[in-house]
Amino acid sequence: MSGGGPGELVAAVTGAQVSRRRRLDPEFPYRLHVRMRNDFLTPRGVPYRWQEVDGVVDREVLGGSAAAVPVRYVWQSVHAATGSPKGPGPRREWTFARGQGFNSLLTHSVAEGPGAGPAENPEPGAVQVAYPDLPKAPAVDLLLMLTWDVLAFEMLCTQMTGTPGLNRLGVVSELERISGTWADMRFSDPSTSAMFRNAPMTATKIGYGVTDNRPTAVYSFSCLDCELTVRAGPLTQDGRSSYLGYIQVDAETGDLVAAEMTEMIVATLIGGGEPVPIQKRRVVRLHADPRHARPTPGPVPPRAGQTPSADFADLARAERQTARVAEYLRGQIGAFDLLPPGVASMAGMGFHSLVGTDLPTALEQVQALRTGLRAWRHGDPGIRADLPAHRHALEGLLAFTQLAVEEAARLDLAEAPPPEAMRQQMGAIERAIGSLLSLFDRLAPEDVWEAGPYAEPTAR
């Protein structure tokens, strides 16, 4: 979008809708500025000490697929300072952080532009957060916290644009792919770890705006009374976390523009004598650098109301690919039960957070999709209204298959097939899902998603 003032930009975006698939151009590295402030509070809520860390991190697209894009983040600079009511301490650069990086996988995204394509030398591990070359130190732990905050905002960006109900203003919707998920976070010292479990999380689209001459959609979110347990040697910090904030998403590309989160932590430290109450407030802010953002979006998908013609051959191919996906899911029923207990629960949570449901329900939805495509081929296009939700679930399944191969190899699971056989199996299902998503692009263009509210796919 070019030309016009802020008023015209807002009018344009409120007349259009937000892209549900993040569109990334590998030719333009995305630079993010992020700042975290930790306030340690007295029982009366008065800060007695604070820490502040701010960094600049570049996000590079490593490759692309039909729905999941591997990316790498590299810290360009990190500065930190501490202080108390008496005054701030000196602000110092953490030179040890410069050039350090971490990996992730952006789901419901597509790499487009001249540089798009499979990664030539992909980094090992689609999601990899660790700094093994750095020493055990509190500063490294703060860098890890800042890293998790970046990934959390990136995940929220995807969930805001892909959650049913958030295509309309003022509607409170639960982020079901986040609610109830948990993370086991490891710090620089192997004896220190944290377990965080999300409570039910809700969000609302609260309006539109303009940031750096880009039209944005603005969402609020909140997640109250989450479980938080931190273990450091013989000490355990047992508490609760509540956080809320807002996030701005580029309306044309679906990418992250700005975000802010405030978190309150109330806990008790035990194991060192008398229990010690702990109260902490965290404020995290992030914004994209407009000088390092994609200057001009690519072609906009067809507008709502432009109904594409459904080719008989396309519908037949889509039905065949759906049958392959259903066969794969049917073969996976019970597979998680063969894994070690800890790995099984992690796999189940990962499947639900990416696909939006458990494995048996996902199979029912894919079977309903196949039935609907067959009916469409015979003249009943009723399934077309459900294709957006089916697409979203299939994109999550595609990301899960990619992560499953790497996690099985990393954990060296005896119960899993040999790595090469597993890669061939997953490669076949990835091709089937990728082909199916490409057919969806012709059967139901992305903007049709916004013609009205839609529900998650249900068995018919």
Side-chain angles (χ1 to χ4, degrees):
M1 184 179 295
S2 60
E8 294 178 3
L9 288 171
V10 174
V13 72
T14 53
Q17 292 293 341
V18 182
S19 174
R20 287 193 182 277
R21 300 174 87 187
R22 195 184 307 203
R23 298 155 62 203
L24 309 174
D25 193 332
E27 294 295 307
F28 297 95
Y30 214 58
R31 175 162 291 183
L32 300 169
H33 297 257
V34 57
R35 172 170 292 185
M36 172 183 67
R37 181 183 172 102
N38 300 329
D39 289 315
F40 297 85
L41 310 176
T42 68
R44 297 181 61 187
V46 178
Y48 65 88
R49 181 167 65 90
W50 55 262
Q51 304 165 324
E52 193 166 270
V53 182
D54 61 273
V56 177
V57 63
D58 283 355
R59 186 189 69 201
E60 175 189 2
V61 174
L62 298 180
S65 71
V69 177
V71 293
R72 179 159 180 80
Y73 303 81
V74 178
W75 291 107
Q76 303 303 308
S77 65
V78 179
H79 292 80
T82 59
S84 68
K86 297 180 180 179
R91 182 172 180 269
R92 295 187 174 90
E93 181 179 4
W94 287 351
T95 55
F96 63 82
R98 194 185 305 156
Q100 294 288 328
F102 54 100
N103 292 359
S104 188
L105 190 71
L106 299 184
T107 59
H108 310 297
S109 303
V110 59
E112 58 184 21
E120 294 182 3
N121 298 297
E123 296 280 343
V127 179
Q128 191 178 55
V129 179
Y131 300 110
D133 297 333
L134 299 181
K136 302 175 188 176
V140 176
D141 292 339
L142 288 175
L143 181 63
L144 283 166
M145 291 177 63
L146 199 65
T147 300
W148 294 324
D149 288 330
V150 170
L151 294 179
F153 282 136
E154 288 277 54
M155 177 179 63
L156 280 170
C157 176
T158 297
Q159 295 302 321
M160 296 302 175
T161 58
T163 295
L166 291 182
N167 58 326
R168 294 176 293 167
L169 289 173
V171 177
V172 179
S173 298
E174 182 175 353
L175 303 183
E176 295 181 352
R177 286 173 167 82
I178 297 180
S179 296
T181 58
W182 55 270
D184 187 7
M185 299 173 287
R186 300 290 174 174
F187 291 92
S188 60
D189 189 331
S191 66
T192 302
S193 65
M195 193 285 292
F196 186 94
R197 184 182 299 275
N198 279 298
M201 187 173 188
T202 58
T204 307
K205 183 192 282 188
I206 58 177
Y208 299 94
V210 175
T211 299
D212 299 320
N213 208 37
R214 302 288 297 175
T216 63
V218 186
Y219 304 83
S220 65
F221 62 88
S222 65
C223 193
L224 308 179
D225 201 26
C226 307
E227 298 178 33
L228 175 61
T229 302
V230 181
R231 291 183 174 84
L235 302 178
T236 298
Q237 178 182 308
D238 190 11
R240 311 298 265 189
S241 161
S242 296
Y243 61 95
L244 50 85
Y246 76 88
I247 187 166
Q248 285 183 271
V249 176
D250 190 306
E252 293 175 318
T253 66
D255 213 348
L256 180 61
V257 173
E260 180 174 320
M261 176 190 72
T262 299
E263 179 185 23
M264 293 297 299
I265 297 172
V266 179
T268 301
L269 184 66
I270 56 178
E274 289 293 322
V276 178
I278 293 175
Q279 295 183 128
K280 186 163 67 172
R281 177 178 60 215
R282 300 179 65 242
V283 179
V284 185
R285 296 184 176 93
L286 177 148
H287 71 272
D289 191 330
R291 297 168 298 179
H292 293 76
R294 177 179 181 171
T296 305
V300 177
R303 297 286 299 148
Q306 291 182 311
T307 304
S309 59
D311 182 85
F312 184 91
D314 280 348
L315 289 171
R317 282 195 294 271
E319 187 183 341
R320 288 196 299 272
Q321 300 293 11
T322 303
R324 291 192 178 98
V325 176
E327 182 181 0
Y328 161 73
L329 289 173
R330 191 178 295 107
Q332 294 301 308
I333 297 290
F336 293 167
D337 297 336
L338 301 176
L339 299 172
V343 178
S345 61
M346 185 181 299
M349 183 203 69
F351 189 93
H352 188 280
S353 64
L354 289 171
V355 183
T357 186
D358 59 17
L359 208 155
T361 306
L363 174 59
E364 292 178 10
Q365 292 178 353
V366 171
Q367 290 171 329
L369 172 61
R370 186 185 181 191
T371 301
L373 289 169
R374 184 183 299 115
W376 192 355
R377 190 157 51 88
H378 292 286
D380 178 7
I383 191 64
R384 186 171 180 275
D386 287 342
L387 288 188
H390 282 295
R391 182 208 297 265
H392 202 67
L394 287 168
E395 289 176 345
L397 179 59
L398 179 62
F400 179 81
T401 60
Q402 294 172 349
L403 291 172
V405 174
E406 293 171 358
E407 283 299 296
R410 183 179 68 85
L411 297 173
D412 193 21
L413 296 175
E415 299 82 359
E420 188 54 38
M422 193 173 183
R423 285 191 178 90
Q424 290 179 1
Q425 179 192 31
M426 293 302 185
I429 192 63
E430 285 177 15
R431 287 191 293 275
I433 296 175
S435 175
L436 191 54
L437 293 173
S438 297
L439 290 167
F440 277 16
D441 289 338
R442 293 200 291 274
L443 297 173
E446 181 181 354
D447 260 18
V448 176
W449 298 22
E450 300 293 355
Y454 70 93
E456 291 288 353
T458 55
R460 290 175 178 243

